[in-house]
Amino acid sequence: MTTGDLTTLANVKAYFSPPLVTTADDALLSRLITAASGFIQSWLNRTIASATYSETRNGAGGTRLFLRNRPVTAVASLAIDGVAIAPSSPAPTGDGYLFDDSSIYLIGHHFARGAQNVTVQYTAGFASTPPEIEQSCIALVALRYKERDRIGQASKNVGGETVSFQQKDMPADVATILDQYRNVVPA
């Protein structure tokens, strides 16, 4: 499994009916896993695995700042106009900051208006891939694996019957599942 992969080779092979037991296509399936994982994370506009982020943002005068990556699991530092803000202690009544899975909240302070005057370092993402994202990746890998012999075909005439093939980036059910994790970043 490559860093950033959303599933394992074993899980993909187990998904097929009957499960794939040969190792003949392991290299191909591993490449498809990496490609599907990258495609999904690009489509979601986010990294799924936990990672450390540093953001420099504009202060808007309020007491809440939405962070670009979720879920937020830790905040290492926060500074406004170069002044470090400490975590609220004792929480939630002391001056400082608190955070939840998407935002930082200030108590006794505000995000002073300014251009690029707020810096925050934090950790966000999942310790392990959520099951529905992993299953979506498995389904996408299986689809790409099965359709490799008909690349570019929209339909095929077999014995007087026409068989049509899907021509989308991903199946609608996969898009529906993944859409709840999509990160929409304002322009």
Side-chain angles (χ1 to χ4, degrees):
M1 187 162 153
T2 303
T3 302
D5 284 354
L6 299 175
T7 191
T8 64
L9 178 61
N11 288 347
V12 167
K13 290 174 80 170
Y15 179 71
F16 288 95
S17 180
L20 296 178
V21 292
T22 178
T23 58
D25 285 338
D26 283 5
L28 170 61
L29 288 168
S30 294
R31 283 193 314 274
L32 289 172
I33 290 168
T34 299
S37 297
F39 170 78
I40 288 170
Q41 292 180 92
S42 176
W43 190 83
L44 293 174
N45 198 27
R46 66 181 300 179
T47 300
I48 296 301
S50 184
T52 302
Y53 298 94
S54 182
E55 291 183 21
T56 301
R57 306 283 294 280
N58 296 338
T63 59
R64 181 178 188 181
L65 179 70
F66 285 98
L67 297 172
R68 291 188 175 105
N69 301 283
R70 299 178 315 279
V72 176
T73 57
V75 175
S77 66
L78 171 65
I80 303 168
D81 291 327
V83 177
I85 307 295
S88 177
S89 181
T93 57
D95 282 355
Y97 68 83
L98 299 170
F99 68 92
D100 63 19
D101 66 344
S102 64
S103 307
I104 294 181
Y105 303 88
L106 295 178
I107 300 171
H109 302 276
H110 65 281
F111 292 103
R113 290 186 181 278
Q116 304 291 291
N117 66 327
V118 177
T119 57
V120 59
Q121 293 181 345
Y122 64 101
T123 303
F126 296 94
S128 61
T129 304
E132 58 274 20
I133 293 177
E134 181 176 15
Q135 188 57 45
S136 295
C137 185
I138 291 168
L140 194 56
V141 168
L143 178 66
R144 296 299 178 250
Y145 179 78
K146 287 291 194 179
E147 72 181 4
R148 71 191 191 281
D149 64 340
R150 55 181 168 81
I151 294 172
Q153 285 185 325
S155 64
K156 186 177 192 178
N157 194 340
V158 179
E161 293 183 23
T162 300
V163 178
S164 296
F165 304 116
Q166 178 177 313
Q167 297 292 307
K168 297 181 180 180
D169 291 339
M170 70 179 96
D173 62 327
V174 169
T176 298
I177 290 167
L178 293 176
D179 198 47
Q180 65 187 322
Y181 290 93
R182 201 164 197 186
N183 191 14
V184 180
V185 179

